[in-house]
Structure formats: structure tokens, C-alpha cells
Amino acid sequence: MIVKTKLSIPHIHGTLVPRPRLTLRLNEGLETKLTLVSAQAGYGKSTALSQWAQSCSLPVAWISLDTQDNDWIQFWSYVTASVEALIPGFGHSVLPLLKEGPSSPSVSSPSSEPAIKTLLNELNRITQDIALVIDDYQFINLPSIHQSMAYFIEHLPPLFHLYIASRTELTIPTARLLAKGQLQRVTTDDLRFQLDESFVYFENRADLSLTRKQTAELLHQTEGWISGLQLAAISLGRSSNREESLRRFSGRTRHISDYLLEEVFENLAEPLRFLLETSILTRMNHSLCEAVTGRNDCQAQLARLEQLNLFIIPLDEERYWYRYHHLLSDFLRHAFSIRDPDKRAQAHARAAHWLESQGFVEDAAEHYLAGRRYEDIVRLMEHRLLELIHKKMIALSGWVLQVPESFIMQRPMVEMFYLLLLIAIGQWEAASAKIDLAKARYEALKETLNETVWQELMGNVYFLCGVSSYLRKDLADTQEYFYLADRHLPNGGLFTAIGNNNHHSFEEFDDHLAFINDHHGSASFLTAMFRIWRLGDGHPLAGPLYATYSKLLYEWNRLDEAAACIGQVLRQNDTPLIGRTMLHIYISASRIEQTLGNQTRAANLLEQVKSRIDSPDYDLYVRKIEAEQACLAIRQGDIPSATAWLDRCGMTYSDEISLGAVAEHLALSKVLAACGRAEEALTLSERLDALLFKEDRLRDRIKAIIMQSMSLHAIGRLEEGLVRLETALVLAESQGFIRSFVDEGPGIAELLAMRLNKHPSDRYAQRLLAAIDVVPDSRPRIRAKVTCFNRFKVEAGTPGGEEIKWRTSKAEELFAYLVHHRGEAVDRYRIMDALWGSESEKTTAYLNTSVYYLRKNLASIGIEGILQHNRGYYRIDVGDLDCDYLRFHSFVSSGESIDHSNIRDFEDIAKLYAGHYLEKNHYAWAEEARRTVENDYVVLLLRINDYYTGENDWSSGIKMLKTVLKLVPWNEEIHAKLIRAHLANNDRLSAMKQYDALRRTLQTEFKLEPGTEVKKMLNIK
């Protein structure tokens, strides 16, 4: 729920002291991305920013944070809502993504979120400068918020200016921003009152007349601390002996707040009681205060406190919502807890009941906890459990862990969630013991509970028992309990789908063979579970089981059975698959296809899963998929592609490793070895071996040891390599491993042959070596290099490849037309209409002849089988083409954001555009595409320019804009961008030359003068 008052700029009370120096510092923030206002409580951060915001020439959005906003979804919802308050309609594409929640944490780097990228894209479309103030950021300590905030700040558009006020330093990295001049700091020293400001402040106090000497002494004692001066003014205004009060005040600076607050409030008996009882509230209105205090004059009390200037802040113009200054609320809460802890607990309970009745669920829950009203908090959680699981999982988890177990046990579904939470946070043993006790307790309630209620309850209990048994690697009990769970709750319980669309949930349940070491036991378990969780019934856990079984069959080299198993899942179009399941299914399918010799199909499957996954953790999924693609590239002999992945993946052999990233690190080890960096591969595989041995993960440990063996061989330590190979064979033989060895190809074959020379009777090594001998040829077929920009050209993909000399121009055009359709099957009638303009027996003969000559031409450079025909449809298998147009189209269609890590990729794609699409061939059917591709190229160049502009790299940006103008010389907006860039680069002469070029173009083409905006930039009238 968005509380509108938190989006309002706080109302400024009373007469403020003009602070031109501070205002100037804040205005300087409009030239940067981020302004950080950092100081302890009482230095006037909120007042200074609200005063600045109300007088600022730009629109200013505002968020006042509190403890309830330490939630990823809520925090970013407020950010979006704050901008929407200025720009109606803003954020409509962001909100659905925010509901998905944050990405799972990544070990090696902060992850970027789809929701945050979309938010940035919407901000980038705003055409005017705006500022956003986030006040009280110290309440945020959730790592996922800090990570996404770091990404957000790094990619802010130039027209958006962020101001953050916090009592503490930001935990997000700011060094790069500071180095680039994109960070403005406003510190305690900037916020302190100076002597002249102190004089003005006390002169405005009608009830207090201090000499300049006394003012200077107070300033010295408080060190310019604004709240200290305010409290001192209140205290001295009520003192009958100011000299004595000043004397007592001297020397108490360290404890000045407690001292002055005691002085101020000790004689306010009636207001103090109201202040104490309402101090527990983060924000209040008269109705909430009446519920907490039992009084009926709360509106008058709030008005009186504001009149007395007792550190109360109205949150809206109507003065309906208020809050206390943090300094005051901290003091009052501490005093309340000491004076009357029982009454304090009662106040929390009354506040919670009112807040719950008004729909403020999170606030109510926090007050129930603070008031130790555990019956109420578990009631609230149970009544809203499904909603809270989907929308407030982090908050819900925090509440449950604070409630004594005796209260949790009174609410069965809350207890189920609590037990699952213990498993999720790694307390497996504790969870297992508690689950066994819960099972016995609930089984005994069969005769006392409603039958339907008991069935649902036991379905969830047995599911948890199954989870617990699985984590103990007891597959027999796991099977039995999952059977019972399905019998009691056939469609799955509340908890079967928790976290399904996130990358990290219960990883041990995704790739079962990475966790369970008994592969033969796993086979029996899986086939039994297929009878319980049938694939066509849509059970959320059925898909992962089929993916695992296909991997098991593949490992045992039963390829036809593996292909049939995974094919069943791929054909289930009516059953939606979640991201984690799709990842394992498609990776398994790709490995099977590669081993069966279907290289293009293997590569396409990995590309398909990239486009199909829709998750807030998309970037984490892509990292795993690209690691698998690098391994596939090695198996296909494509070392350059594997090397390219190595350069861009961001991982090194010395990175910290964890179980969640084992697959990526195994891939890294494999690619390092293939690229001649065997020493690094050895170091990494040794570290993986140590981790996997400690965690008892057999399958991946065997793979790590195989990599050690091969790396040792590569660096000349053959005997050590053979020792590690023997270790891998001993571990793997009983489980029947084959493909983990065979897929390493000639390298492992050489080691196995050496072992057999020493141990000729090793039947397992003989079996593995025999399997390698029958592996289908996985060498890459000759790829054709196809050029579509400027002139259509086809060359053999080998170094110095020969260009095709076409037998007929129509054979060449037919190939260009099919490449243009990017692998899509095209009906022959469409082809005849496009190439010959009619459909007849004659054009059918022309088509057949052209197909014949096309196949002949391709065969002349060693390319066969890529032109496919089926039932009147023709297509090109583009997987065997290295085509500039296909690469360009794929890249610009991806919608990838530009940052420092991929700017070179964007520039490389732009370089592909060596001329207009099929420009020299004059194909009529290509005209529309030619215009579309040119427009895509212009957009690409402008995006690259925008990146360089954001980095203040004006020279690189100017280069892009000049290229754009060659294509659209009459576009005044591009001319204006270029003029602006020249001016920013301190090159007025070039800016004037560009203006003259624009004026000549407009005069020549349209008889027009440049617009006023351009003239204004150059001060031309």
C-alpha cells in the first residue's frame, strides 16, 4: 500500500533562517547524478532539503522512508510512485515487474533487475530535468535494495538527479561516481549553523533575547548542531536564570540531547503523557492517536505541540498526518520503556489493532511484535498467508522468526511456513526434528478436525516430511512421504511452488543428481515418482524430475532413451514451465542433441531457453546458459566463441566459489584448459574439488577431478594426472558414469589409453575408451560467411575462404531471399512472387532450376545440407552461416542495455553496417527491410552516443552523431545533439560550423531556418 503522505514534501514550520551557502551546495547537485546529504540526527537534513525542494526551479519528487520500507518491492514501488506523482502515467510498465520481487543474490557481482532496467528506460524517456529526494535512507539495510540501487544510480539518465539524505554513509559504492564528478556530498560541516545564521535564528525568537556573546557561546557548545540550538532556545526561554542555565549547559556537549530534552519536557506533565504514548508511532493522525491514548482531543493536542514547536513535523498540507523528529521519538521511546513498559506494550497493541483495521498490515504486524501480542501476529499472518508469501516474503520471514514457537504451533499453516523457512535458511537438522514432532501432533488430531481441513493440513505436513527426508538423502522415505502428500493433497500444497520463478529457491530440488550421490537409487526413485507426479497433470515438481532422469540416462550413455525422456517434456506445450525447470530441461536436451550429432539443434535449444525464460532473475539464468554455450562451443571445436565468453563472463579462476555457481566454475575450468591456460584451470578445479568433497557432492566432484587430471597432463605433470584420473575412475565406476568422461573428447582418451598401457585389465577404462571411439563426429561443418551490407556476398568460412561464383543471378537472389527470412520456412509461391512477380508453370521451372544451381554453388565451397525443402516450403539452416545481417538483427532485437561491460560489443555490431542492406543488388523485395535496418542502425548509433554522453566522453559521442547525420542530414534534432556535444566539449568553433551546415541544409531542402532551440544554444537571434 502506497501511503501518499510519504510522497509529500514535508511542510516547513515557522520562520526559517536563510542559508544561501547550503542552498548553493544543493543546487550544485543538479549537475550530478547523486547528491548525498549525510549527517547524524538533528542537523536539519530534512528541513534543508524540503526548503530547497519548495524553492527549486525543477519539479521535485519526494519519499520519506521508515522501517516498513526496508522491503525491495515496497521501496521501488515508492520510487516509481514518487515520479508518477509528478508525471501521471509514469511507471505502468514497471509495476508488474516489481511484483515479481528482487533477483536472487549473486555471488560474484550485484545483479541488475528487469524492473530496474524498465524503470530506467521510462526515466530515460522523460524530456525535462527532475529531482528525487529520498529522505531517511538509513532505514534501508536490505542487501538486495543496496545492490539494485547501485545499478540504478550507475545508469541514471542525465536529466534525473537523485538526492539521498541519511544518518549514515551509503553502503553502495560511490568512488567511481566521485571520480567522474557525478557525486555531490553535503556533510555535517555544510549543515552546521554558522555564526551569522545563529544570530538570525535567535533574533527571530521573540521570547528569547540573547547577547551576541551568549549566542557565540551556545554555537561553540553545540558545534553548530541545529537541534541542539533549538532545544537550548526552548530551555532558555523557560528559564528564570539564563546565566545559570548557560553555565550548567556548558561542558555537556557529549550528552547534550538527553540533557536538553530532559530540561524541555520535565515540566510538561500533560503534553508529556501524550508524547510518551504516541512516541511509538512512526506517523500519526488524530484518529490513530485517539486509539492509542484513549483521548478524544488528539487533534487539539497535535496542534498544540506544533504551536509549541516541540519537534513535530506535519507530513501534508492539510496537517492530517504528522511524525515526531527522530531525535525526539528516540528520546521519548527510551523514556517510555523505562517509565512504564506495560503501558508501552498496551500502546503498541492498540496501535496495531487500529492499523490492521485500516489495512496497514505491515505496520500492524510490527506493533504486535513490539507489544508482544504474539496471538495477534500469528492470527494476522495466517489470515493473509498466501498474499504475504507472494508479496511480502522477506517481511513475513522476519516476523515468523521473532515469534515464540509456542504461539506458532497454534496456527497450523503458519507453523508449516515456519518449518519450510528453517529449511530455506539452512537449519536442516532443527527443521527435521520439528517436522517429525508436528507430524505426530497433527496425525493425532484426525478425529477432532474437520476431514477436509485435516486432509489439507496433512498434505502439507507430509510434503515437508518428504522435503526433510530428501535433504537427509533418504530416497525411500522421500518417496513414501511424497506419495502420502499427493494422496491427501493431489494438486500440491501451498508450499510446493514457493519461489518457483526465482533462480535460487531450493537448489537441491532442481538438479537432483548434483545433490544425491546414489545414481542407481535415484533411477528407482525417479521412475516411482513418475507414477505419482505425472507430467501431463501439471504438478510443479514433475518437470524437474524428467529433466533429472534424462540427465541420468545421458550420463549412462543411453542416448535414445534420454532423447525420448526429454522429448516428452519439450512437447508439453500446454504445461507452463518455470525458469529453473526450463534451464535444466533445455541444457539436458542440448547435450543430448550435440552427442547425437545435431549441432545446430543443440545450439538453438540454448538460444531458445534464453528467450523463453521470464523471471526477475533473468540475468542469473543467462549467466548459466552462456556458460553452457561456452562448453558447447568447445565440443564443437569453436574455440574463438569460447574465448569470447571467457573475456566477457567476468569470472576468474581465483574468484570465491559457492555451490550455487559450481556449474559456471566447471565451465570456466573447461574453457581455461581449452584456451591454453591449464595452470589456472588446475587451480580452479582443485578448489572446486575441495568444496565438493566437503559438501559431499559426488557428480560434480568427479567432473572437477577429471579437469584436474587433464590440466595436469597439459602442463607436463603426467604421473599426477594419471593419479587423479584413477581417483575419478574409482569414484565413478560404481555409479556407471560414462558421459562425464567421454564428453572431454581426445584429451581424456589419451589419458585413458595411457592408463590402459599400465593397467590393461581395467575394464571400466576399456569401456570408456570404447565409448569415445563411437562418439559421432562433432567437428564443426564448414560455415559460410555471408555479407548482406552493401553487396551480397557468400564465401567459404575457412581462412581465406573462396567466394561463390554464381551460376545464375536468380540462384544468388534466391539464397539472399532465404537468408533474409532468417531460417523461417518460406512458401514456394511467395518465393516465385518475390523473385519473378508471378506464379505459373514457367516460374515453377525457374524456381526448381535456381534451387538446383544454388545447391551446386554451395557445394562448390564445401557446404551441403543447409538448403532444406519440405512440402513446398524452403528454408536455410542459418546455424551454419556467419552472417553480418543475422548478427546485427539478433543484437538490435535483444534490447540489451549499454554499460561499460558491453559498449565494445555495441560498437562491433555498428561496424557491421558497411553499407545499406543489399544496397548494390537492388532487390525490390528488400526495399522495406533496407529502410528498417537503416533505422535500426541510426537508433543503435544514438544509443551508443547516449552512453558516451553519460560518460562525458564527448569525442566518441560526436563521432557517432556525425555518422548518423550522413544518413539523415536534414534531421534538425540530430544537428542539435551534435551542436550541444561540441559545446560540452568546449569546441564552440565546431558547434558554429555545424550550425552553418544545418542552416544550409534546411535552406536548400526546405527553405527553412533552424529552430529557436538551436539558436538559443548558440545565443543566435
Side-chain angles (χ1 to χ4, degrees):
M1 176 185 293
I2 298 296
V3 180
K4 296 296 185 182
T5 54
K6 294 169 70 170
L7 304 180
S8 301
I9 300 173
H11 180 73
I12 303 171
H13 177 76
T15 304
L16 290 173
V17 176
R19 307 199 66 189
R21 288 184 294 269
L22 181 56
T23 300
L24 179 61
R25 292 284 289 158
L26 293 172
N27 281 334
E28 288 171 353
L30 296 175
E31 303 300 322
T32 66
K33 282 186 175 182
L34 172 64
T35 300
L36 175 58
V37 183
S38 177
Q40 284 300 314
Y43 275 95
K45 300 182 294 295
S46 300
T47 300
L49 282 167
S50 60
Q51 184 180 8
W52 171 81
Q54 291 180 356
S55 62
C56 184
S57 59
L58 304 181
V60 179
W62 186 283
I63 310 170
S64 296
L65 299 176
D66 57 39
T67 55
Q68 301 304 315
D69 301 317
N70 191 36
D71 174 274
W72 192 91
I73 296 176
Q74 182 148 316
F75 176 85
W76 288 108
S77 295
Y78 269 112
V79 170
T80 306
S82 68
V83 181
E84 199 270 341
L86 296 181
I87 304 172
F90 178 87
H92 284 180
S93 63
V94 181
L95 296 176
L97 294 172
L98 287 177
K99 292 177 182 177
E100 294 284 347
S103 295
S104 304
S106 170
V107 172
S108 56
S109 65
S111 57
S112 54
E113 312 282 349
I116 307 307
K117 289 181 177 180
T118 305
L119 174 59
L120 288 165
N121 287 338
E122 287 214 23
L123 288 174
N124 207 38
R125 289 194 284 271
I126 297 174
T127 57
Q128 60 175 330
D129 283 87
I130 65 170
L132 168 62
V133 176
I134 302 180
D135 195 16
D136 290 323
Y137 191 81
Q138 72 275 355
F139 288 119
I140 304 301
N141 55 42
L142 201 64
S144 60
I145 297 179
H146 293 320
Q147 289 170 0
S148 51
M149 176 59 87
Y151 182 87
F152 180 73
I153 293 172
E154 179 74 18
H155 297 84
L156 278 176
L159 297 181
F160 191 83
H161 312 283
L162 181 61
Y163 287 71
I164 295 179
S166 176
R167 296 188 205 175
T168 58
E169 286 293 320
L170 295 186
T171 58
I172 60 179
T174 56
R176 284 186 58 195
L177 292 173
L178 191 61
K180 292 180 180 180
Q182 294 173 344
L183 171 65
Q184 170 81 330
R185 289 184 176 275
V186 178
T187 64
T188 301
D189 287 339
D190 297 307
L191 291 163
R192 297 182 200 276
F193 261 15
Q194 302 299 312
L195 186 58
D196 58 338
E197 293 167 334
S198 301
F199 288 151
V200 174
Y201 174 71
F202 284 110
E203 285 173 0
N204 289 336
R205 293 288 306 226
D207 61 336
L208 186 63
S209 177
L210 296 181
T211 66
R212 295 178 75 84
K213 180 181 178 181
Q214 289 172 330
T215 301
E217 179 63 22
L218 272 177
L219 180 69
H220 174 71
Q221 292 296 336
T222 59
E223 297 179 349
W225 181 46
I226 298 170
S227 290
L229 290 170
Q230 290 177 289
L231 286 165
I234 297 170
S235 177
L236 291 172
R238 296 174 184 170
S239 173
S240 59
N241 189 339
R242 289 179 184 164
E243 288 294 334
E244 176 62 17
S245 295
L246 281 169
R247 186 189 64 76
R248 290 168 55 202
F249 181 52
S250 178
R252 299 288 300 269
T253 305
R254 284 188 61 195
H255 304 288
I256 192 172
S257 61
D258 287 349
Y259 166 71
L260 287 173
L261 286 164
E262 289 167 5
E263 286 285 303
V264 169
F265 292 106
E266 67 177 359
N267 296 317
L268 294 176
E270 184 61 21
L272 182 58
R273 186 167 72 85
F274 177 84
L275 286 164
L276 289 171
E277 291 177 346
T278 56
S279 66
I280 63 166
L281 304 172
T282 55
R283 63 184 183 278
M284 68 198 86
N285 59 29
H286 73 277
S287 180
L288 176 54
C289 291
E290 287 169 2
V292 170
T293 65
R295 306 168 64 116
N296 57 12
D297 64 341
C298 291
Q299 186 65 55
Q301 286 289 339
L302 292 170
R304 183 183 176 200
L305 291 175
E306 187 179 4
Q307 185 180 20
L308 291 171
N309 196 23
L310 290 183
F311 285 65
I312 186 169
I313 301 167
L315 297 178
D316 51 31
E317 292 291 337
E318 295 77 20
R319 284 172 161 70
Y320 184 70
W321 286 96
Y322 292 84
R323 74 168 174 87
Y324 292 128
H325 191 289
H326 299 309
L327 195 69
L328 175 60
S329 62
D330 291 345
F331 170 80
L332 291 171
R333 288 173 187 173
H334 179 67
F336 198 15
S337 65
I338 292 174
R339 293 188 185 196
D340 199 337
D342 291 336
K343 185 168 284 188
R344 178 175 175 271
Q346 293 169 12
H348 275 296
R350 289 193 292 268
H353 284 302
W354 186 92
L355 289 163
E356 185 180 2
S357 71
Q358 300 299 311
F360 298 103
V361 175
E362 286 183 83
D363 299 84
E366 295 292 346
H367 281 290
Y368 281 136
L369 283 170
R372 300 187 298 279
R373 296 298 294 262
Y374 301 123
E375 302 96 333
D376 287 306
I377 181 70
V378 294
R379 170 189 54 76
L380 182 148
M381 287 190 288
E382 186 174 57
H383 287 175
R384 298 174 177 264
L385 189 58
L386 187 60
E387 174 190 350
L388 291 169
I389 283 173
H390 288 298
K391 295 183 179 179
K392 296 291 179 183
M393 174 69 89
I394 294 173
L396 176 64
S397 302
W399 301 336
V400 167
L401 293 174
Q402 294 179 65
V403 176
E405 286 186 2
S406 58
F407 292 92
I408 290 175
M409 291 165 60
Q410 297 172 15
R411 300 282 176 168
M413 295 310 293
V414 175
E415 183 179 13
M416 298 300 106
F417 175 79
Y418 169 66
L419 295 173
L420 197 64
L421 181 60
L422 291 179
I423 292 172
I425 62 178
Q427 296 185 22
W428 292 358
E429 290 186 11
S432 180
K434 295 178 191 300
I435 288 169
D436 288 342
L437 292 173
K439 179 175 79 72
R441 191 170 71 254
Y442 289 120
E443 282 178 338
L445 296 176
K446 183 175 184 353
E447 303 303 325
T448 58
L449 291 177
N450 173 275
E451 177 67 17
T452 303
V453 172
W454 186 82
Q455 289 282 348
E456 180 180 357
L457 180 59
M458 291 311 300
N460 284 295
V461 170
Y462 288 136
F463 176 78
L464 291 176
C465 289
V467 171
S468 176
S469 299
Y470 178 83
L471 294 174
R472 294 196 304 269
K473 303 189 179 183
D474 184 341
L475 295 181
D477 277 1
T478 302
Q479 177 184 329
E480 176 64 22
Y481 282 125
F482 282 160
Y483 167 74
L484 290 171
D486 187 70
R487 196 176 73 179
H488 287 78
L489 210 56
N491 295 321
L494 176 63
F495 307 113
T496 55
I498 287 180
N500 266 345
N501 203 35
N502 292 92
H503 181 272
H504 291 287
S505 183
F506 297 110
E507 292 183 4
E508 292 76 13
F509 281 88
D510 295 333
D511 190 3
H512 305 86
L513 300 179
F515 180 68
I516 301 295
N517 296 335
D518 181 2
H519 280 40
H520 298 290
S522 294
S524 299
F525 167 74
L526 290 167
T527 52
M529 290 306 302
F530 292 155
R531 293 191 291 272
I532 301 173
W533 293 338
R534 290 168 292 276
L535 188 62
D537 293 345
H539 195 286
L541 299 182
L545 294 183
Y546 276 82
T548 295
Y549 193 52
S550 72
K551 289 181 182 180
L552 182 59
L553 293 169
Y554 176 80
E555 182 61 63
W556 288 343
N557 210 27
R558 292 158 57 177
L559 300 179
D560 290 339
E561 293 173 76
C565 177
I566 205 67
Q568 291 182 65
V569 189
L570 293 173
R571 288 192 294 272
Q572 289 291 317
N573 295 326
D574 56 339
T575 303
L577 295 173
I578 59 171
R580 298 197 328 271
T581 301
M582 276 196 284
L583 177 72
H584 291 285
I585 288 170
Y586 277 77
I587 284 178
S588 179
S590 173
R591 291 174 184 174
I592 294 167
E593 291 292 341
Q594 171 62 28
T595 302
L596 291 173
N598 303 322
Q599 293 185 344
T600 302
R601 170 72 172 156
N604 288 345
L605 283 164
L606 296 179
E607 284 298 326
Q608 286 174 26
V609 73
K610 275 187 185 179
S611 64
R612 289 196 61 190
I613 287 177
D614 180 14
S615 165
D617 290 337
Y618 180 77
D619 289 347
L620 291 178
Y621 283 114
V622 168
R623 286 183 57 183
K624 287 190 178 293
I625 295 166
E626 291 186 345
E628 182 67 22
Q629 287 176 312
C631 294
L632 179 63
I634 291 172
R635 291 190 66 191
Q636 295 186 348
D638 186 3
I639 302 301
S641 292
T643 305
W645 173 80
L646 194 61
D647 292 337
R648 70 173 185 271
C649 71
M651 296 192 296
T652 70
Y653 73 97
S654 59
D655 287 345
E656 181 183 351
I657 55 177
S658 70
L659 287 175
V662 164
E664 294 99 303
H665 286 291
L666 283 171
L668 178 62
S669 177
K670 191 187 297 280
V671 175
L672 286 170
C675 295
R677 295 161 63 177
E679 292 277 6
E680 295 174 40
L682 176 61
T683 300
L684 176 56
S685 57
E686 288 174 340
R687 294 173 60 227
L688 283 166
D689 180 21
L691 171 68
L692 295 164
F693 173 74
K694 176 185 174 184
E695 298 293 339
D696 191 27
R697 303 297 177 95
L698 179 65
R699 184 199 67 186
D700 291 338
R701 185 181 175 221
I702 290 170
K703 292 184 177 184
I705 295 172
I706 292 171
M707 285 310 307
Q708 288 178 55
S709 174
M710 296 177 64
S711 299
L712 286 164
H713 181 211
I715 61 178
R717 293 159 61 182
L718 177 58
E719 290 304 318
E720 294 175 75
L722 289 171
V723 169
R724 297 311 287 155
L725 175 62
E726 182 177 9
T727 302
L729 292 170
V730 169
L731 292 171
E733 184 174 8
S734 64
Q735 300 303 323
F737 278 52
I738 296 178
R739 296 303 324 176
S740 289
F741 293 90
V742 170
D743 288 348
E744 299 304 326
I748 200 68
E750 188 175 351
L751 281 166
L752 287 167
M754 292 178 185
R755 174 170 175 78
L756 285 170
N757 285 335
K758 291 187 174 185
H759 305 279
S761 61
D762 187 336
R763 291 176 179 263
Y764 185 39
Q766 291 172 3
R767 182 183 172 198
L768 293 174
L769 196 57
I772 293 175
D773 288 340
V774 298
V775 172
D777 182 11
S778 62
R779 291 173 300 174
R781 289 179 282 180
I782 298 175
R783 291 167 61 87
K785 181 180 179 183
V786 179
T787 302
C788 293
F789 290 114
N790 197 17
R791 177 177 72 84
F792 186 67
K793 182 169 61 174
V794 182
E795 303 165 280
T798 54
E802 177 187 359
E803 182 179 350
I804 284 182
K805 295 180 175 55
W806 298 99
R807 295 284 296 273
T808 69
S809 62
K810 285 301 179 183
E812 177 184 17
E813 185 177 359
L814 173 60
F815 191 52
Y817 185 74
L818 294 174
V819 169
H820 170 76
H821 283 83
R822 305 190 301 276
E824 173 194 348
V826 187
D827 181 82
R828 62 178 179 172
Y829 297 110
R830 282 180 62 194
I831 297 173
M832 289 187 285
D833 186 58
L835 270 64
W836 288 281
S838 64
E839 305 164 13
S840 64
E841 290 185 9
K842 183 181 291 187
T843 53
T844 299
Y846 290 158
L847 173 61
N848 292 335
T849 302
S850 298
V851 168
Y852 172 78
Y853 282 132
L854 174 55
R855 287 198 168 107
K856 284 282 189 182
N857 284 136
L858 292 172
S860 71
I861 60 170
I863 301 172
E864 296 182 354
I866 69 168
L867 176 57
Q868 300 168 359
H869 175 248
N870 183 31
R871 298 182 180 180
Y873 284 80
Y874 291 86
R875 69 180 293 272
I876 290 292
D877 185 350
V878 296
D880 286 314
L881 303 184
D882 177 11
C883 175
D884 53 359
Y885 165 64
L886 296 178
R887 287 171 58 199
F888 180 89
H889 181 274
S890 175
F891 193 90
V892 299
S893 300
S894 70
E896 184 177 357
S897 299
I898 306 182
D899 57 35
H900 67 279
S901 67
N902 63 9
I903 181 61
R904 295 292 171 255
D905 295 338
F906 276 79
E907 290 185 329
D908 288 344
I909 291 298
K911 289 175 183 175
L912 293 175
Y913 197 97
H916 295 307
Y917 179 60
L918 298 174
E919 178 181 13
K920 297 293 180 66
N921 298 88
H922 307 294
Y923 298 141
W925 49 262
E927 282 299 326
E928 184 178 348
R930 187 174 299 129
R931 290 190 294 271
T932 300
V933 173
E934 179 183 316
N935 184 64
D936 289 341
Y937 178 53
V938 169
V939 171
L940 178 66
L941 293 175
L942 291 175
R943 291 183 66 199
I944 297 172
N945 166 70
D946 289 345
Y947 168 80
Y948 282 125
T949 299
E951 298 291 311
N952 293 329
D953 184 351
W954 304 109
S955 297
S956 298
I958 287 168
K959 181 180 176 182
M960 295 298 124
L961 292 173
K962 285 182 175 180
T963 305
V964 172
L965 280 178
K966 290 178 182 177
L967 300 169
V968 286
W970 55 84
N971 190 309
E972 185 172 357
E973 184 179 348
I974 306 302
H975 281 278
K977 281 179 177 284
L978 185 51
I979 291 168
R980 192 179 294 112
H982 282 310
L983 292 174
N985 202 33
N986 297 317
D987 187 356
R988 182 173 178 81
L989 179 60
S990 294
M992 290 301 299
K993 288 181 178 178
Q994 193 61 46
Y995 174 79
D996 289 340
L998 169 63
R999 187 169 55 80
R1000 285 195 302 272
T1001 299
L1002 293 178
Q1003 280 286 336
T1004 302
E1005 297 290 336
F1006 308 109
K1007 306 299 182 186
L1008 295 173
E1009 282 290 316
T1012 55
E1013 181 186 352
V1014 177
K1015 291 181 177 180
K1016 188 176 180 181
M1017 281 192 285
L1018 296 166
N1019 296 320
I1020 297 173
K1021 296 182 180 179

